Amino acid sequence: MIREYPVRDVKPDEALVRITMSTICRSDIHSYKGHRPNPCPGILGHEIIGVIQQLGADITRDMRGDPLAVGDRVTWTEYFHHGQSAYRDIHDMPQKSPGVRKYGHDLVEDDPHFLGGFAEYCYILPGTGILKLPDAITDEEATPLNCGVATMISVTEAADIRMGDTVIVQGLGLLGLYGCAIAKARGARLVIGLDAVDQRLVAARKFGADETIDVTTLDDDALVENVRELCPPYGADVAMEVCGVASVVPNGIRMLRTGGRYVIGGLVNPGSDFTLDGNDILRKWITLKGVHNYHPRHLIQALDFVMSNRERFPFGDIVDSKFSLEELDEAFAKAAERSVLRAAIVP
Ligand SMILES: [Zn+2]
């Protein structure tokens, strides 16, 4: 439903952006369907880019130190946190500061109304990392930077992917496709993508996957055996869960060699239970990590990764459909049934 709210002048520590594109993330779909406790009515959407329309006097430079001005096209961290935080100041985890807020998660009635992607404007509030976009990057390449791409930069960093590694990517949605590409860019020798959807397996090949396996064609034991055979002599160095299905975790760990690393990046919903034998973790020296949200530096790295690999991987193809604000419901329906990979809203 489209509603109108007034746009006010920015405060000294705020910016006002005219949105040029926002994309529907999987988490927006969970909220849209009412599976997450989002305040309602609100403006969903946190993968957003736009052009600065008004800039508060206190904001002069972006995260990298480049000067910011009205008319600049920018992306920004999907979350913001203002005030003291031991997580930010002591533990270098600003993304987990208590009271951290995310764009696309507020009641639209509250000032300044515009804090989400599916609208004409968005305010950027204090505690947000702003990053200027180079002219060369297209809107389609730039919009997923501040959620999908930055998250995968964070996940692959946690996985500590090294030159020559063999890497398993469980799930080839947007996170998985970027995961394959980033793994290759980090020097992985072999990337194996696993999914149940044909077109995703095909897409993964374009994003760096050397091998893809349709998980519906094999039982668990055969799948693990297949993957291990592709990673001689003892199994894979790294596996990453980015499919949101808890039951894949034990299998992914079985695919690893002794000393392997496993990162959970997709189990964003509570109740994602799985069973592991702790003795396997111990004997195999497995490193198991969870990653939620990302550090501001990961957004800078996400932009640099896309800019330096845009000839190698067709990032622009991931945003494969565009809708107006009036067509938002249709866009959500298509995104939910996965008939589009990433639906973009162009106000
Ligand atoms: Zn997201």
Side-chain angles (χ1 to χ4, degrees):
M1 181 195 294
I2 293 191
R3 291 193 192 177
E4 297 212 359
Y5 290 90
V7 170
R8 61 155 172 78
D9 285 344
V10 294
K11 296 173 185 170
D13 51 4
E14 297 173 348
L16 175 65
V17 162
R18 183 175 51 75
I19 294 172
T20 50
M21 185 177 279
S22 49
T23 36
I24 299 179
C25 174
R26 186 65 29 200
S27 67
D28 290 316
I29 297 170
H30 291 305
S31 303
Y32 181 78
K33 289 182 162 177
H35 298 165
R36 283 153 49 114
N38 256 52
C40 205
I43 302 173
L44 293 175
H46 52 272
E47 289 187 355
I48 323 164
I49 60 164
V51 172
I52 296 177
Q53 173 113 351
Q54 263 190 39
L55 194 59
D58 295 351
I59 307 175
T60 55
R61 292 180 182 277
D62 77 353
M63 278 196 284
R64 216 197 293 263
D66 288 335
L68 277 179
V70 168
D72 284 344
R73 193 170 53 128
V74 293
T75 181
W76 58 95
T77 53
E78 63 180 347
Y79 62 88
F80 54 101
H81 182 268
H82 199 42
Q84 274 197 318
S85 163
Y87 274 111
R88 184 190 59 205
D89 303 333
I90 311 295
H91 303 299
D92 196 29
M93 297 179 78
Q95 68 271 46
K96 296 308 292 182
S97 297
V100 74
R101 290 167 65 194
K102 282 187 164 182
Y103 290 91
H105 288 72
D106 281 282
L107 203 61
V108 69
E109 308 297 341
D110 298 341
D111 176 84
H113 308 301
F114 296 95
L115 285 177
F118 307 136
E120 289 181 293
Y121 293 95
C122 186
Y123 285 87
I124 300 179
L125 296 189
T128 307
I130 304 175
L131 189 60
K132 195 161 146 175
L133 293 168
D135 290 340
I137 195 169
T138 64
D139 282 3
E140 289 81 357
E141 290 169 319
T143 310
L145 285 175
N146 78 330
C147 181
V149 193
T151 297
M152 277 322 285
I153 295 284
S154 183
V155 168
T156 51
E157 181 188 275
D160 189 20
I161 296 173
R162 301 170 200 168
M163 200 64 74
D165 273 353
T166 48
V167 176
I168 315 300
V169 182
Q170 294 177 294
L172 299 170
L174 179 122
L175 291 182
L177 294 180
Y178 282 110
C180 292
I182 297 168
K184 287 309 265 193
R186 289 181 71 108
R189 174 178 72 78
L190 179 75
V191 173
I192 305 172
L194 310 180
D195 204 288
V197 181
D198 244 3
Q199 73 223 50
R200 292 178 168 203
L201 296 166
V202 173
R205 295 270 181 170
K206 297 180 192 153
F207 285 87
D210 302 287
E211 301 278 349
T212 52
I213 301 177
D214 180 348
V215 296
T216 61
T217 60
L218 299 166
D219 67 25
D220 284 0
D221 289 346
L223 178 64
V224 170
E225 204 38 52
N226 243 281
V227 170
R228 290 180 63 89
E229 272 172 19
L230 289 168
C231 309
Y234 302 121
D237 300 294
V238 166
M240 303 183 288
E241 176 282 317
V242 283
C243 58
V245 180
S247 59
V248 309
V249 176
N251 281 343
I253 289 174
R254 286 167 67 203
M255 294 168 189
L256 295 175
R257 66 165 169 84
T258 295
R261 285 97 64 196
Y262 192 92
V263 179
I264 295 174
L267 300 183
V268 292
N269 290 323
S272 299
D273 298 344
F274 53 79
T275 302
L276 286 176
D277 183 343
N279 185 245
D280 286 340
I281 304 293
L282 176 147
R283 281 188 298 106
K284 280 184 75 177
W285 283 73
I286 297 296
T287 302
L288 178 58
K289 289 185 187 175
V291 165
H292 184 224
N293 301 344
Y294 58 85
H295 192 281
R297 74 170 177 276
H298 295 133
L299 181 56
I300 299 175
Q301 291 169 342
L303 174 59
D304 292 345
F305 160 72
V306 168
M307 285 307 290
S308 51
N309 289 279
R310 53 199 293 271
E311 310 295 333
R312 186 178 180 188
F313 305 113
F315 298 118
D317 294 351
I318 288 182
V319 173
D320 55 352
S321 55
K322 288 182 202 167
F323 302 86
S324 66
L325 275 175
E326 289 77 12
E327 297 166 324
L328 192 57
D329 285 317
E330 185 192 341
F332 264 101
K334 292 223 162 108
E337 71 187 24
R338 296 178 201 264
S339 64
V340 298
L341 193 54
R342 210 54 151 197
I345 309 302
V346 181

